[in-house]
Amino acid sequence: EAGVAQSPRYKIIEKRQSVAFWCNPISGHATLYWYQQILGQGPKLLIQFQNNGVVDDSQLPKDRFSAERLKGVDSTLKIQPAKLEDSAVYLCASSSPAGGNQETQYFGPGTRLLVL
Amino acid sequence: GEDVEQSLFLSVREGDSSVINCTYTDSSSTYLYWYKQEPGAGLQLLTYIFSNMDMKQDQRLTVLLNKKDKHLSLRIADTQTGDSAIYFCAERYPGGYNKLIFGAGTRLAVHP
């Protein structure tokens, strides 16, 4: 079974530029998550989709971040304009109910963003 | 509140046991997780425990849960150099649908 795919793996941009990340979840997984992991910290949820609808975007800085999941499969996360503090690893995860109330999140390798 | 705390660093000798500790704040959390992150990689689920359990064992891994003290630990028996990584504790936040709150991670260094 293929895992969660993300691209690009690395991105370097200057502040005020825009950037987009792409995620392809595990086939059949209805729920998709975007996390931000700043160096030395644990991942923090930015946005969560159930199929193509948003379940939780309470920690997404909506003035500069946007995300979409068209057709309930792939997703893109965009930052416009980027700030220095956006330098982080952006992790995508997906999950699907597997019986009971437990639902494991499977993570992609992440996109490392450096804003100069 | 949402806060999961872990010690930042642990160094052990190869072959010894490692114990990584975590405290969480929300007593109504249903599931607690341990993830492993190797350099340049995403997070890999190691194990999880349901809140009505005290202990769960999976090969070299033993998870202990003390709900009264909101304390979770991960014991790795016979620690190997391949176990060197960052270990994250996470709680499933009761207020959201499958939302995970992560600690800052414990870096485990295994030396010969």
Side-chain angles (χ1 to χ4, degrees):
Chain A
E1 178 182 78
V4 176
Q6 291 188 246
S7 67
R9 292 295 309 276
Y10 305 91
K11 191 73 177 179
I12 301 174
I13 62 173
E14 295 187 348
K15 60 183 179 184
R16 290 188 290 274
Q17 286 187 323
S18 61
V19 64
F21 313 128
W22 173 82
C23 173
N24 180 235
I26 293 173
S27 178
H29 280 194
T31 309
L32 185 146
Y33 315 76
W34 282 102
Y35 288 86
Q36 180 192 57
Q37 185 179 16
I38 293 172
L39 187 64
Q41 299 182 18
K44 181 185 79 172
L45 181 70
L46 291 176
I47 188 167
Q48 177 181 346
F49 292 93
Q50 177 80 4
N51 296 308
N52 60 351
V54 175
V55 174
D56 184 347
D57 63 356
S58 57
Q59 297 192 84
L60 186 74
K62 298 180 185 64
D63 58 333
R64 298 182 301 105
F65 285 65
S66 64
E68 60 182 9
R69 192 184 184 197
L70 300 177
K71 301 180 183 177
V73 182
D74 293 3
S75 177
T76 55
L77 176 70
K78 297 179 181 178
I79 308 175
Q80 181 180 10
K83 293 185 176 182
L84 297 177
E85 58 261 36
D86 298 332
S87 295
V89 177
Y90 290 86
L91 295 164
C92 180
S94 69
S95 68
S96 183
N101 198 28
Q102 202 286 122
E103 190 167 325
T104 297
Q105 295 185 28
Y106 296 91
F107 284 80
T111 296
R112 278 156 181 76
L113 173 67
L114 178 61
V115 182
L116 302 175
Chain B
E2 303 177 12
D3 199 10
V4 176
E5 294 188 357
Q6 303 178 235
S7 52
L8 294 181
F9 188 75
L10 176 66
S11 178
V12 299
R13 185 174 296 178
E14 190 174 15
D16 287 352
S17 293
S18 307
V19 179
I20 302 171
N21 295 301
C22 168
T23 57
Y24 59 99
T25 55
D26 202 312
S27 58
S28 56
S29 293
T30 54
Y31 289 93
L32 295 137
Y33 299 82
W34 284 104
Y35 279 86
K36 175 183 180 182
Q37 186 175 40
E38 296 182 84
L43 277 68
Q44 172 196 354
L45 177 69
L46 288 178
T47 186
Y48 65 89
I49 188 167
F50 187 48
S51 57
N52 69 349
M53 300 169 64
D54 298 324
M55 185 183 84
K56 181 179 180 181
Q57 187 152 3
D58 184 0
Q59 299 182 345
R60 293 191 297 123
L61 305 178
T62 303
V63 178
L64 296 178
L65 176 60
N66 181 329
K67 282 196 70 176
K68 175 177 172 289
D69 295 335
K70 298 177 201 167
H71 184 265
L72 182 74
S73 68
L74 174 69
R75 178 178 181 269
I76 305 174
D78 187 26
T79 311
Q80 302 297 308
T81 54
D83 295 322
S84 294
I86 301 175
Y87 291 80
F88 290 94
C89 167
E91 63 173 335
R92 180 173 165 176
Y93 181 61
Y97 174 73
N98 209 33
K99 176 179 179 178
L100 296 183
I101 307 298
F102 286 86
T106 299
R107 182 178 294 276
L108 174 65
V110 183
H111 56 89

